[in-house]
Amino acid sequence: MNSSLVGNQSGRPFCLLAISYLETINFCLLEVVIIVFLMVLIISGNIIVIFVFHCAPLLNHHTTSYFIQTMAYADLLVGVSCLVPSLSLLHYPIVLSESLVCQIFGYVVSVLKSVSMASLACISIDRYIAITKPLTYNTLVTPWRLRICILTIWLYSCLVFLPSFHWGKPGYHGDVFQWCANSWNTDPYFTLFIVVMLYAPAAFIVCFTYFNIFRICQQHTKEINERRVRFSSQDGEAGEAQPCPDKRYAMVLFRITSVFYILWLPYIIYFLLESSNVYSNRVASFLTTWLAISNSFCNCVIYSLSNSVFQKGLKRLSGAICASCARQRVAKDSSASRSKRSSNGCHV
């Protein structure tokens, strides 16, 4: 990065957020609180999503569940990887060199978020095929092809960020490390490479597919309502307007995609500005990065609040946990009462 991000040399901890800490605090308190808070939310939320998908077979009837689960696993790994900068900010001793750790951390998080971005693009393509070619959908989209697609997403994401070890910083994920902030610079050509190979194609696919999905759903809704009005008028009954059934599920996925790009837009803009030496700021670097990473938790919230089948699966999971806890409590109470009776019998 530029010289504006160079840490001070007074012996104080290297903190991106310019806040005066007490002399007794020798670590970046606010940064640690933010990262640990996000880490707990991301890990717990995505573990719940993964368990619900395994406990609710109806969720697996949609082929998009393959991509949703892929995103959940990727987001879970993002949460686990947040442990690395937390230990660094707490000045926990790390075996490997700081330069290697921050490069690996930046690469891993970039790959995982690339998997999420590519999965969202594949979800939009899947819904587009389901609506435009409903009769041939089951022959075009098979479980075997979905697994190949998911494998391709992971391989492509790993390859597209691989040059970062020699070409330049892939993003700002590693800026909690002083070496990353001071010595690992971005390269405008590498930034252009990432935009062309990942950001632009994914954004174009999402915009194109969802625009056409909602246009087709609107047309289907109009046709269905016209038929209902025509037949109901013949029967002498008033017909109610019915929305397109595919539109409801598409809206859930559209919300997930919209929130993803809303949270990632400040990060991408800052990425482009800093790479072109237009603007750089350590506070903006930290906030835009972790705002984007917070999307790993938002996916869980949106899906749980928008999908009725997911809500039923969540209730089923919580009910099973509560029943298991109740059985354990009853077993513990019964064993305690038996032991009490046996001890009383010994004293008789």
Side-chain angles (χ1 to χ4, degrees), residues 128-174:
Y128 179 76
I129 296 174
I131 292 176
T132 56
K133 299 182 179 180
L135 299 179
T136 59
Y137 175 79
N138 290 330
T139 58
L140 292 174
V141 183
T142 61
W144 181 81
R145 289 180 179 176
L146 287 172
R147 294 187 184 96
I148 294 295
C149 183
I150 291 171
L151 179 61
T152 303
I153 288 173
W154 281 95
L155 289 176
Y156 182 80
S157 299
C158 291
L159 291 174
V160 77
F161 284 101
L162 197 59
S164 64
F165 288 97
H166 298 285
W167 203 347
K169 187 187 299 183
Y172 299 90
H173 309 292

Side-chain angles (χ1 to χ4, degrees), residues 18-92:
I19 296 177
S20 298
Y21 293 103
L22 299 174
E23 293 293 336
T24 55
I25 299 177
N26 62 347
F27 59 89
C28 305
L29 179 62
L30 185 57
E31 288 89 333
V32 171
V33 170
I34 293 174
I35 294 175
V36 171
F37 178 70
L38 285 177
M39 179 179 66
V40 172
L41 289 180
I42 291 170
I43 292 176
S44 58
N46 285 283
I47 286 177
I48 292 173
V49 169
I50 293 169
F51 273 112
V52 168
F53 267 97
H54 286 288
C55 294
L58 287 176
L59 285 170
N60 293 318
H61 288 180
H62 292 286
T63 54
T64 51
S65 66
Y66 286 84
F67 297 111
I68 294 291
Q69 291 181 71
T70 299
M71 290 174 56
Y73 282 109
D75 290 337
L76 176 62
L77 292 175
V78 169
V80 174
S81 67
C82 290
L83 183 63
V84 177
S86 302
L87 295 176
S88 174
L89 291 171
L90 288 170
H91 293 267
Y92 189 84

Side-chain angles (χ1 to χ4, degrees), residues 64 68 71 117 119-129 131 202-218 246-258 261:
T64 51
I68 294 291
M71 290 174 56
M117 190 176 294
S119 297
L120 289 172
C122 289
I123 287 173
S124 65
I125 294 174
D126 175 78
R127 291 298 88 198
Y128 179 76
I129 296 174
I131 292 176
F204 174 77
I205 290 172
V206 167
C207 293
F208 173 81
T209 52
Y210 279 115
F211 173 79
N212 285 280
I213 285 171
F214 289 117
R215 182 179 59 82
I216 294 170
C217 283
Q218 188 176 11
D246 292 321
K247 187 176 181 179
R248 191 179 299 107
Y249 190 65
M251 278 300 299
V252 176
L253 303 174
F254 179 72
R255 290 190 194 105
I256 293 176
T257 307
S258 300
Y261 280 99

